[in-house]
Amino acid sequence: MMALIGSVLVLLGAIFHFSAGLGMLRMPDVYTRMQAGTKASTLGNTLVLAGLAIYHPGWSLKLLIIVYFVLMTNPVSSHALARAAHSIRIPMAGDTGIDALRDARQKAGSGT
Amino acid sequence: MISSIVLTTGLLLILIGLWGMLTHRNILRIVIGFSLMGTGTHIVIVAIGYVANGTAPIIDHALSLSEAASRAVDPIPSALAVTAIVIGMAVTAVMLAYAIRLYEAKRTLSIDAFTESKW
Amino acid sequence: MIRRLSIIVAIVAFGLVFASLVIGHTEQQSLLPLAESYIRLVPQELGAANVITGILLTYRAFDTLGEVAVLFMVAAGVGLVLGGERPPRSGPLEDRFEGARPPSEIVQTGTQILVPLISIFAAYIIMNGHLTAGGGFQGGAVIASGVLLMLLTYPQYQPNPEFLGVTESVAGALFVLTGIAGLIAAGGFLDNRILPLGQFGAFFSAGTIPILSALLGIKVGCELSVILERFRP
Amino acid sequence: MVESLLHPLNIFIVGLGGGFLIPLFYRLGKSWVAAAFVLALAAMTLISGYALFVLLNGAAPIEILTGGAKPPYAINLRMGLAESIFAFGVNLVALFGAAYVAREGYGTLLLYLLLVMGIQGMVMTRDLFNLFVFLEIVSIATYALLGLRDAPEALSATFKLLMATVLASTFFLIGTLLLYAATGILNIDELIANRSSITGPIGFAALIFLLACLLLELKPFPANGWGLDVYETARSDVAAIISGGVSAGVFFGLLKLLPLFEDQLELIAVLGAITFVFSNLIGLQQTKAQRLLGYSSIGQMALLTIAAPLLYQLKAGDAMFLVVGGLFINHLFAKVGLFWLAGYVGKERLQDWAVLARRPGTILVFGILIVAISGLPPFPGFWAKWQLIMTLAAGDLYVWIAIVLVGSLLEAAYMFRWFSLALHSPAEIDAEPQGQSDLFPIFGMALLLVASGYLAGELAGLAAPWAYMPLAAGLVLYMLARLPSGMQCLIVLILVSAGGTSLILSLSGINFLFAMLLLAGGLVVSIACLARADPRPGFYPLLAVMLLSLPALPRAMTSLEFIFIWELITLSSYFLILQRTEAASHALQYLLFSLAAAFFLLCAFAVLQAQTDSVSLSALRVAGPDSAPVFVLLAIGLLIKAGAVGVHVWLPGAYAEADDDVSALLSAVISKVSIFGLLVGTYVAIRSEVSLNLALVMGWIGMLTTLAGAMLAARQDDLKRMLAYSSMSQLGYIVAAIALMSHLGWVTALYLVANHLLVKGILFLVAAAIILRTGKRLIVELGGLAGVMPVTFTTAAIAIVAMSGLPPLAGFGGKWLLLSAMIEKGWYGPALMTLLATFVGFVYMARFIQAIFLGPRKAARDALTEAPITLLIPQILLVAGIFLMSFFPKLLIAPISEAIDPQFASTLVWQGMSLEMIYGYWNPVPVMAFAVIVSAILLGLFWLLLRSGWWAAIARVEIGGMRSSLYQGLKTVFTMLTPPWAQGLWGGLATATTASAERIRMLYTGNGQTYNLYILYYFLALYIAGGGLRHLWPTD
């Protein structure tokens, strides 16, 4: 029974990883690809590791540390990457509506 | 069977690296092509060392000393892979350093701009 | 057009050569004699649990010494190529290169959490090189990733080149000295049986392998951070 | 204690430890760093030197174990004899090169030290993956050191090198691991032990990957554009270390792994040959110094890649040692020296090297390096090439001999062109070589070359002190360069006479006769050198070397000694001709033809040794019936040197354009060297039927040369060119006489040799006197000098009479002997040709006397004075010689016939003073009458033709004064008869070679990516040529 739940979780994780890959390919510009890749793969990792924890309860502490590690590093690094892309003005897709970062900067720039 | 798949991926990676290095004109893309080729080589190295359903050659509670000889993977290619990875990194660092200097010299990264000495 | 065609022909030809390799490759069913004897000898003779580190730091230690020399040269070489002494990084980031912004608050807090974690992880890898997977090179790389994170988040942070240079040289020299000690005290150059092999699987075991692994980790860490530091604008 | 300190392992401890500690020393102080650096290099040199010393004394190869375990488990290194030579050579070069690097930052010193250690690691390691690691150490050190020069083209060249060598080392990595997959072994010795298990597609691909990397690192022909760019743009001392050191490590890697490539040996040699020929070919078109050195360095490495596999295939162990060791050491010291010199001169274009012209010391070193690179004596390259050709001949690999020699000829061509450009192109007066690096290491390299040359000579089997006497004399003279030239000339004469006599004392038969003739002739003619008081840098040492090597040639017993002295004569005479600026291009032509002649001789001796496997020249006498090829090769070589009709293009330029006294020596004495060769060599013709007909062909060539020479001489306007052609035609007589292969023939030959030496000596000295006094060379501008220069006129007249064959002087006896010898042999055609040639000879000889001495005196000639006494003395001595020969022929002919007795049964019977031959007395009177009648009839005939106007129709000339128009008529006839075929042929060949070189070098587009594509295609070509197709399409 537990093995079944575990493998279902791992399957779910795998699906999320697949969607991350698909997102990377289909998304129009850097920023959309970035967020697709990061969100899906972080969740995918967590699910896979959770499935593993169910398989091998003995490892659960180590797996927890790994999940914590993934949760810490993945979002931060993609955030830094997106900011860097924005600061060297990599073009956004045509139909982007709002550029919050630019507006914030202009306000901050004009404000001071 | 597994090692054949790993070997094929490694060799494919080498081919992709070669293709990238030959077709792209931007020097940074050429350097990426070379590092791809390096990674492909390292995968090939590891694939060569694989023994049918073997595990990592580390003697601990999972792999006792007695059964190590039968269930462990070949350790030598892995040791060589470590050295090869370091060398791959070193060469990529030197290439990037030269890419920077070339950019500083001519303000362009296209490989076609650097054909001064010929014949 | 001919250029593109010739490239395609070359790649296809290489593909054929590689195909012949894949076809000719038969998976090893059992270990080759040399590998099999290594797996038997390393735990027995050297007392190291991780056979790969055992090979790397004793039997093929001459390779590793060459490796360290390679890294040492790259650190010096990159410095040479990129123009040696750089102007000291005075003043804030903006005037040094346009369009630069102070790193965002998320990255800064992320670093404050991650860097200690990374350094502990690196120390674990280096010190347990002879017991579990890992060793000097891998640990050094993790240290370097920590330093890189620091470089990214704190632009005015500059790892003291003096300190890095000295530790690098001292670690290298100690490595060679341990090798010579092996020549004098034990079987030969770079032999690890100078110190007692200790109890198999214990922290202090396998002769000088942990020490060499530590030296290696420090040295690789320093060198990689020197290289990364050289690449900054 | 000392033993363990000098153990080769310490090389690595010093290298690595020193490398790691240098940054620490830097913290202590700048001077500490340089001291530590030089100390480390010195320690490495000492260790490798000690190892070489011990191994030379027969110690077993020193094993070096690491990791506390036996080889298959741990890495081991070995310091055998070959390794110690390579290591010691590279260390010496690095130690000398430290002078250029010591002032740099500590990073450079660190990299330089680790580079040198890396090279020795590549040489000594016995583990395949360890070889890869050391290859990487060497490559990365090279990339970093190349960063020292930050010009854009240097950076882009280094990036091309970077891409190429990363590709190559990835091949090596893949190869190593595939080999491990196939055999499960990494230790080289074990791999070689069970190389039979390297089978299947993986094993084959592994070998090809390894071979591809090793060959690519040696910069093989189409895929070496990147290598050349680096040589061209790198800093000269870094380029030196790359060309000398790095290729040493890579080549030794190839040498070590040769047993693995058992069935690709032929392929390696073919690839080496392609690189060797093409890189030397393109070298002809180079204008930049370092790029030219790049081509030459690649060519030398390719020569090594030819030699190693072939010798390995022939299982010639000891020959491999001398050949590979000699060629490597020669390349290392000479190439590194030239790169440093390029650094010292600091100029890129070849012409700008003229700044060296006014520095005798540097020019000497430059000359030594150029001669060494071209593989000429007395440097190791010569002995190695000799041994290589002998071993190849023993293995019947004649195609390879041809390739090696053609390549060496091309290399000598562009190297000496560079030298003459440096010596003679116009340079600004105050130009100083602004290269900042000092000269000391370059002199060191020259000294090392000389020392290793002697050692290699000893190894090749020629250590006799007499062979080196000419060079010793040259050195002594060089030391006395400060003295006034007159004094130096006297010292030369004294030294040569003393040395010469000691040389010829132990000789006998033809050798003694010839040696005495050459020595005496040389001495007498070089008295004329006293006439010029102006300082002539380098002239007297070269004169001493040449004059002493002339008598040494007959002293040579083995073929090695013969070729050694032969090439010494060629070299010294080339440098003597080069003394005069206008002679630069002619000198190069002279050198190339002489080298081609020497190479033909080399092949002949190689074939001879292959057939009779004895090195001594006497084997020529005992050669078997199938020795026709030996005769043909010898004949071709010697005919080129003698200036036979087809290959005479070099003769007029060299003889006419050289200094006056040098041209006298050249035509009177040095041309006899080829005659001596003919006497020694072509006797083998007797041994087989086919050779006898070939001898007839040679006879005809001789006569054709005589006729062509005479006609060409007749139509010349320049005084010295006319004499040059006349000596060519006289030599034709002698060649024909030798070709008779009979006792009488050879007696005539020797007689004519003596006569020609005396006559041509006088005539050239007369020409020297005329040019000295009038400053004019064109016959038209001269005239009526008899009154002003009576003594010169009389000697000239005597010489002309003797040469033309008019009785009573010696020439007549010679012609008569020749005619009777030909009739005795039944050669009626050549006999007729002799008569015709003699008649044409009358024309130009008469013109010589009439146009220059008789006839109306030009106005400006009144103030002229007689020739200086120093020119007259040798002429008078020679005239005395002529009289001696004419009136007491027995004095000369008796010893000649005895000398020839061993070869041919004597048919001469002496009857008092008159020589009674089987066919009749040699009674001058009837023959004289007959000769006068014949010439009278011929003159009359011409006079009639002239009158009848028919002549004008042919000669299209207006009928002016009888005498001048007669000559004009004859001149146009001769011009019609001697169209410049030879000139066209050789000129066409030269332009074809340079044109093809121009087209081939377009291959290097300069684009790094294209070079990578060439590398991939090179690998594929190697894979397919190595027999990879059967793996691609599994047939079974």
Side-chain angles (χ1 to χ4, degrees):
Chain A
M1 181 48 193
M2 297 302 285
L4 183 65
I5 299 167
S7 52
V8 161
L9 278 176
V10 168
L11 181 65
L12 261 176
I15 291 166
F16 273 103
H17 274 297
F18 171 72
S19 68
L22 193 65
M24 295 285 275
L25 278 175
R26 298 278 298 130
M27 288 295 175
D29 67 356
V30 172
Y31 308 97
T32 42
R33 275 203 298 271
M34 185 77 67
Q35 57 88 12
T38 323
K39 284 187 208 152
S41 59
T42 322
L43 186 57
N45 286 345
T46 328
L47 284 175
V48 166
L49 292 171
L52 269 176
I54 293 166
Y55 263 96
H56 300 282
W59 296 353
S60 48
L61 179 62
K62 282 187 182 167
L63 289 174
L64 188 67
I65 294 170
I66 295 172
V67 166
Y68 168 75
F69 197 74
V70 165
L71 279 174
M72 279 311 297
T73 50
N74 223 341
V76 170
S77 58
S78 65
H79 162 77
L81 262 175
R83 272 175 59 81
H86 186 272
S87 73
I88 53 172
R89 290 183 198 76
I90 290 188
M92 298 187 184
D95 46 14
T96 14
I98 315 136
D99 182 348
L101 189 58
R102 191 187 60 223
D103 308 342
R105 285 251 167 69
Q106 267 146 12
K107 192 156 47 53
S110 55
T112 55
Chain B
M1 178 47 195
I2 295 168
S3 68
S4 302
I5 299 168
V6 176
L7 185 67
T8 333
T9 33
L11 293 175
L12 277 178
L13 259 178
I14 294 176
L15 284 182
I16 294 165
L18 278 178
W19 172 264
M21 179 264 295
L22 284 173
T23 45
H24 288 289
R25 326 239 33 95
N26 185 326
I27 285 183
L28 288 186
R29 295 229 167 117
I30 292 174
V31 170
I32 291 170
F34 272 107
S35 60
L36 248 178
M37 207 167 64
T39 325
T41 326
H42 303 149
I43 292 174
V44 163
I45 293 172
V46 170
I48 281 170
Y50 185 74
V51 174
N53 47 53
T55 77
I58 297 169
I59 319 290
D60 55 12
H61 54 271
L63 181 69
S64 72
L65 192 61
S66 56
E67 61 174 348
S70 57
R71 273 187 55 235
V73 168
D74 187 337
I76 299 169
S78 326
L80 303 184
V82 169
T83 319
I85 291 168
V86 171
I87 288 183
M89 187 286 298
V91 166
T92 318
V94 174
M95 271 194 173
L96 287 175
Y98 269 101
I100 293 171
R101 286 302 300 277
L102 286 172
Y103 181 76
E104 274 169 10
K106 288 225 171 141
R107 284 284 162 254
T108 158
L109 272 177
S110 145
I111 190 81
D112 303 332
F114 302 100
T115 58
E116 294 85 359
S117 48
K118 44 182 173 288
W119 304 321
Chain C
M1 189 43 214
I2 310 135
R3 202 178 143 65
R4 177 58 64 111
L5 194 67
S6 50
I7 294 173
I8 293 169
V9 164
I11 299 293
V12 165
F14 263 85
L16 276 175
V17 171
F18 288 161
S20 80
L21 290 183
V22 171
I23 296 160
H25 171 67
T26 53
E27 198 167 85
Q28 286 175 1
Q29 295 316 323
S30 70
L31 279 171
L32 294 162
L34 184 65
E36 199 273 335
S37 55
Y38 264 137
I39 290 194
R40 189 168 32 78
L41 276 173
V42 167
Q44 219 174 0
E45 299 273 333
L46 310 178
N50 179 349
V51 174
I52 295 173
T53 315
I55 298 173
L56 264 180
L57 290 180
T58 313
Y59 286 128
R60 297 192 68 87
F62 203 66
D63 265 356
T64 316
L65 199 56
E67 259 331 290
V68 162
V70 163
L71 271 177
F72 190 66
M73 288 199 297
V74 169
V78 165
L80 205 69
V81 168
L82 288 181
E85 286 67 32
R86 315 282 298 173
R89 244 172 248 56
S90 60
L93 206 60
E94 280 72 17
D95 53 18
R96 272 218 315 294
F97 54 94
E98 32 71 37
R101 285 181 196 73
S104 78
E105 197 247 348
I106 298 172
V107 175
Q108 274 167 352
T109 44
T111 316
Q112 278 147 18
I113 296 166
L114 276 176
V115 166
L117 194 63
I118 289 174
S119 25
I120 295 163
F121 180 57
Y124 171 77
I125 292 179
I126 293 174
M127 286 326 295
N128 285 302
H130 58 295
L131 301 174
T132 64
F137 288 115
Q138 299 81 340
V142 174
I143 294 174
S145 67
V147 168
L148 180 58
L149 194 55
M150 291 291 287
L151 289 179
L152 281 176
T153 45
Y154 302 108
Q156 70 284 5
Y157 160 72
Q158 183 176 15
N160 165 359
E162 192 73 16
F163 167 75
L164 286 182
V166 168
T167 40
E168 205 182 2
S169 313
V170 165
L174 282 178
F175 198 107
V176 174
L177 271 176
T178 346
I180 297 170
L183 189 67
I184 301 160
F189 187 59
L190 294 170
D191 183 353
N192 81 328
R193 284 179 281 266
I194 310 156
L195 300 174
L197 293 188
Q199 203 257 340
F200 185 74
F203 186 73
F204 292 107
S205 70
T208 56
I209 287 187
I211 296 160
L212 285 182
S213 171
L215 285 175
L216 202 56
I218 296 160
K219 187 167 188 3
V220 169
C222 295
E223 260 140 28
L224 293 184
S225 22
V226 162
I227 293 171
L228 292 174
E229 203 270 334
R230 275 284 197 295
F231 273 114
R232 285 173 61 179
Chain D
M1 174 52 195
V2 171
E3 189 55 45
S4 71
L5 260 185
L6 291 174
H7 189 271
L9 177 64
N10 298 340
I11 289 179
F12 298 100
I13 293 173
V14 162
L16 287 165
F20 293 142
L21 291 178
I22 278 183
L24 292 182
F25 282 118
Y26 177 69
R27 300 298 187 277
L28 295 176
K30 189 105 173 63
S31 62
W32 277 79
V33 179
F37 169 69
V38 172
L39 201 67
L41 278 179
M44 282 204 221
T45 319
L46 181 70
I47 295 167
S48 54
Y50 176 74
L52 177 64
F53 173 73
V54 162
L55 288 162
L56 273 179
N57 296 358
I62 308 162
E63 287 295 328
I64 307 158
L65 300 178
T66 66
K70 281 279 162 286
Y73 302 117
I75 296 170
N76 70 325
L77 302 100
R78 177 174 307 137
M79 177 67 116
L81 191 54
E83 286 93 347
S84 59
I85 286 181
F86 273 69
F88 186 56
V90 170
N91 275 328
L92 272 177
V93 161
L95 193 59
F96 276 107
Y100 296 103
V101 185
R103 287 177 288 277
E104 299 282 340
Y106 77 91
T108 320
L109 302 187
L110 168 77
L111 289 163
Y112 192 91
L113 187 65
L114 284 170
L115 171 66
V116 174
M117 182 213 74
I119 293 168
Q120 290 171 66
M122 279 178 80
V123 166
M124 286 200 263
T125 181
R126 299 305 298 177
D127 184 277
L128 202 54
F129 191 78
N130 199 236
L131 179 59
F132 169 70
V133 171
F134 277 117
L135 173 67
E136 277 308 314
I137 288 177
V138 166
S139 317
I140 289 178
T142 326
Y143 307 148
L145 283 173
L146 282 170
L148 283 173
R149 187 156 183 274
D150 50 12
E153 68 272 5
L155 290 174
S156 67
T158 318
F159 192 72
K160 293 177 207 166
L161 169 86
L162 201 50
M163 288 193 285
T165 32
V166 165
L167 260 178
S169 39
T170 317
F171 285 160
F172 195 94
L173 185 60
I174 300 172
T176 314
L177 265 300
L178 287 178
L179 210 56
Y180 178 77
T183 58
I185 305 159
L186 281 176
N187 188 295
I188 291 176
D189 301 325
E190 295 236 341
L191 273 173
I192 293 171
N194 38 37
R195 59 178 176 276
S196 54
S197 72
I198 305 172
T199 56
I202 288 200
F204 174 78
L207 288 179
I208 294 296
F209 271 116
L210 286 179
L211 185 60
C213 168
L214 290 170
L215 287 178
L216 283 168
E217 291 272 350
L218 287 174
K219 310 173 179 68
F221 171 62
N224 58 5
W226 47 274
L228 291 161
D229 299 351
V230 164
Y231 279 132
E232 180 190 343
T233 55
R235 220 172 70 151
S236 63
D237 57 326
V238 173
I241 282 290
I242 293 173
S243 110
V246 173
S247 351
V250 175
F251 176 73
F252 202 89
L254 179 66
L255 203 61
K256 213 183 300 199
L257 295 176
L258 264 183
L260 287 182
F261 307 123
E262 283 269 315
D263 41 21
Q264 277 95 14
L265 290 175
E266 196 73 14
L267 175 62
I268 299 173
V270 164
L271 292 173
I274 294 170
T275 315
F276 181 59
V277 172
F278 278 109
S279 57
N280 282 334
L281 185 67
I282 303 173
L284 292 170
Q285 289 300 90
Q286 292 313 311
T287 52
K288 296 199 181 82
Q290 279 201 202
R291 193 169 181 93
L292 182 120
L293 282 175
Y295 277 107
S296 158
S297 158
I298 287 165
Q300 296 275 329
M301 272 301 140
L303 182 60
L304 278 166
T305 348
I306 297 172
L310 289 181
L311 293 179
Y312 179 78
Q313 215 169 20
L314 296 170
K315 299 284 179 297
D318 52 0
M320 170 92 91
F321 177 71
L322 172 61
V323 169
V324 172
L327 280 178
F328 166 69
I329 288 290
N330 185 55
H331 163 70
L332 179 69
F333 291 146
K335 195 52 54 49
V336 167
L338 277 172
F339 269 113
W340 287 341
L341 198 60
Y344 171 74
V345 166
K347 291 278 198 314
E348 205 178 57
R349 279 172 3 107
L350 299 183
Q351 294 79 353
D352 303 344
W353 276 53
V355 280
L356 288 181
R358 279 175 307 289
R359 299 164 166 281
T362 341
I363 279 289
L364 173 73
V365 166
F366 189 32
I368 288 176
L369 295 175
I370 291 282
V371 167
I373 284 275
S374 322
L376 296 171
F379 299 108
F382 168 73
W383 312 104
K385 233 169 238 176
W386 159 268
Q387 185 63 47
L388 172 65
I389 287 172
M390 286 303 145
T391 332
L392 288 180
D396 294 336
L397 300 169
Y398 295 112
V399 174
W400 295 105
I401 293 181
I403 291 171
V404 167
L405 293 179
V406 163
S408 317
L409 201 62
L410 288 173
E411 177 151 34
Y414 65 77
M415 275 299 171
F416 281 100
R417 180 170 64 86
W418 180 15
F419 184 74
S420 59
L421 274 176
L423 214 57
H424 289 305
S425 37
E428 337 58 85
I429 306 306
D430 54 8
E432 284 306 318
Q434 87 275 20
Q436 77 301 356
S437 44
D438 44 20
L439 269 173
F440 152 73
I442 306 168
F443 277 102
M445 285 301 120
L447 276 176
L448 282 174
L449 270 173
V450 170
S452 52
Y454 182 74
L455 279 174
E458 223 167 333
L459 222 61
L462 174 64
W466 64 269
Y468 293 92
M469 188 197 293
L471 291 169
L475 195 64
V476 163
L477 257 298
Y478 184 75
M479 295 303 160
L480 308 171
R482 293 286 171 279
L483 295 173
S485 47
M487 179 87 74
Q488 285 186 42
C489 192
L490 281 177
I491 296 168
V492 165
L493 293 178
I494 298 155
L495 258 179
V496 166
S497 43
T501 35
S502 72
L503 273 176
I504 58 176
L505 284 184
S506 62
L507 295 180
S508 66
I510 297 182
N511 294 11
F512 173 74
L513 265 177
F514 236 89
M516 222 264 292
L517 201 71
L518 290 175
L519 181 63
L523 279 174
V524 165
V525 172
S526 44
I527 295 171
C529 303
L530 289 168
R532 285 187 54 172
D534 56 342
R536 301 162 83 171
F539 176 80
Y540 296 103
L542 288 169
L543 187 66
V545 169
M546 190 185 64
L547 287 180
L548 259 178
S549 34
L550 284 173
L553 190 64
R555 175 82 186 272
M557 285 309 132
T558 68
S559 47
L560 177 60
E561 285 162 8
F562 187 85
I563 286 280
F564 176 75
I565 305 283
W566 179 276
E567 287 200 2
L568 266 187
I569 296 173
T570 316
L571 269 178
S572 44
S573 49
Y574 163 72
F575 284 121
L576 280 174
I577 300 171
L578 205 57
Q579 290 280 329
R580 197 154 171 272
T581 319
E582 298 80 1
S585 65
H586 301 288
L588 187 65
Q589 223 178 17
Y590 167 79
L591 180 76
L592 289 183
F593 273 96
S594 308
L595 280 182
F599 287 159
F600 272 106
L601 293 188
L602 204 55
C603 295
F605 289 133
V607 170
L608 181 73
Q609 188 175 359
Q611 282 170 355
T612 62
D613 69 36
S614 97
V615 185
S616 81
L617 287 177
S618 53
L620 282 167
R621 289 187 179 69
V622 79
D626 57 1
S627 62
V630 175
F631 169 72
V632 167
L633 286 170
L634 270 176
I636 296 171
L638 293 164
L639 285 180
I640 294 174
K641 184 71 181 173
V645 65
V647 281
H648 66 281
V649 284
W650 58 272
L651 192 128
Y655 285 10
E657 295 314 324
D659 285 336
D660 301 338
D661 39 25
V662 170
S663 43
L665 271 170
L666 270 174
S667 125
V669 183
I670 297 176
S671 56
K672 307 300 172 297
V673 162
S674 53
I675 302 303
F676 174 71
L678 280 169
L679 284 173
V680 163
T682 48
Y683 177 72
V684 80
I686 296 296
R687 315 307 298 169
S688 67
E689 200 42 47
V690 74
S691 316
L692 275 178
N693 323 355
L694 290 174
L696 178 62
V697 166
M698 196 165 100
W700 271 103
I701 293 174
M703 289 325 297
L704 274 173
T705 317
T706 318
L707 199 60
M711 287 189 203
L712 285 164
R715 58 178 262 221
Q716 290 304 326
D717 297 332
D718 181 310
L719 179 63
K720 288 182 78 174
R721 275 190 178 278
M722 186 173 86
L723 289 178
Y725 278 115
S726 113
S727 60
M728 166 183 160
S729 78
Q730 297 298 326
L731 278 178
Y733 281 122
I734 303 170
V735 166
I738 295 175
L740 286 165
M741 289 297 160
S742 66
H743 181 83
L744 194 56
W746 279 34
V747 168
T748 335
L750 276 170
Y751 189 82
L752 283 174
V753 161
N755 175 28
H756 181 258
L757 187 138
L758 298 171
V759 160
K760 213 24 104 336
I762 297 174
L763 285 178
F764 265 98
L765 290 179
V766 160
I770 294 169
I771 293 169
L772 189 69
R773 283 296 177 236
T774 62
K776 293 283 184 300
R777 284 176 61 144
L778 293 180
I779 297 177
V780 171
E781 291 157 357
L782 297 169
L785 296 179
V788 177
M789 304 167 79
V791 176
T792 322
F793 169 61
T794 38
T795 49
I798 294 163
I800 287 292
V801 166
M803 183 165 80
S804 60
L806 293 174
L809 291 181
F812 175 74
K815 289 284 186 310
W816 176 255
L817 280 172
L818 183 65
L819 279 172
S820 48
M822 282 184 176
I823 291 157
E824 174 203 34
K825 198 77 157 102
W827 287 13
Y828 298 109
L832 188 67
M833 291 274 278
T834 317
L835 280 179
L836 190 61
T838 321
F839 169 71
V840 176
F842 283 145
V843 170
Y844 73 78
M845 289 170 205
R847 178 164 177 260
F848 181 84
I849 290 294
Q850 186 273 333
I852 295 170
F853 289 99
L854 310 178
R857 182 183 308 156
K858 298 290 187 301
R861 292 294 173 275
D862 301 348
L864 283 184
T865 57
E866 182 45 276
I869 187 70
T870 49
L871 276 178
L872 289 181
I873 296 166
Q875 288 178 28
I876 292 155
L877 285 174
L878 293 173
V879 161
I882 292 177
F883 282 130
L884 200 68
M885 256 182 67
S886 324
F887 297 111
F888 305 101
K890 191 162 182 284
L891 269 180
L892 184 65
I893 292 182
I896 294 178
S897 60
E898 278 132 32
I900 299 170
D901 254 354
Q903 269 98 347
F904 302 97
S906 162
T907 56
L908 294 182
V909 172
W910 282 102
Q911 201 66 29
M913 275 313 293
S914 73
L915 178 71
E916 186 205 296
M917 284 169 292
I918 302 164
Y919 311 100
Y921 293 93
W922 173 23
N923 184 336
V925 174
V927 174
M928 176 54 204
F930 172 72
V932 166
I933 294 157
V934 163
S935 47
I937 293 163
L938 279 175
L939 271 175
L941 192 66
F942 267 99
W943 189 72
L944 274 175
L945 282 172
L946 197 68
R947 271 287 164 272
S948 67
W950 167 70
W951 174 265
I954 307 165
R956 285 181 314 285
V957 77
E958 91 297 5
I959 303 169
M962 190 279 274
R963 204 177 308 106
S964 62
S965 68
L966 171 70
Y967 171 66
Q968 286 311 329
L970 281 176
K971 185 177 176 194
T972 33
V973 166
F974 293 144
T975 344
M976 269 193 304
L977 286 174
T978 54
W981 290 321
Q983 212 70 22
L985 170 76
W986 297 107
L989 188 68
T991 34
T993 352
T994 37
S996 64
E998 189 59 31
R999 266 197 312 282
I1000 295 168
R1001 74 178 188 152
M1002 286 307 155
L1003 204 61
Y1004 299 125
T1005 57
N1007 181 325
Q1009 240 170 8
T1010 330
Y1011 291 159
N1012 293 346
L1013 200 58
Y1014 288 164
I1015 286 175
L1016 294 186
Y1017 273 103
Y1018 193 82
F1019 170 82
L1020 291 172
L1022 201 62
Y1023 189 87
I1024 293 160
L1029 287 182
R1030 58 186 158 80
H1031 292 296
L1032 286 186
W1033 284 283
T1035 44
D1036 47 11

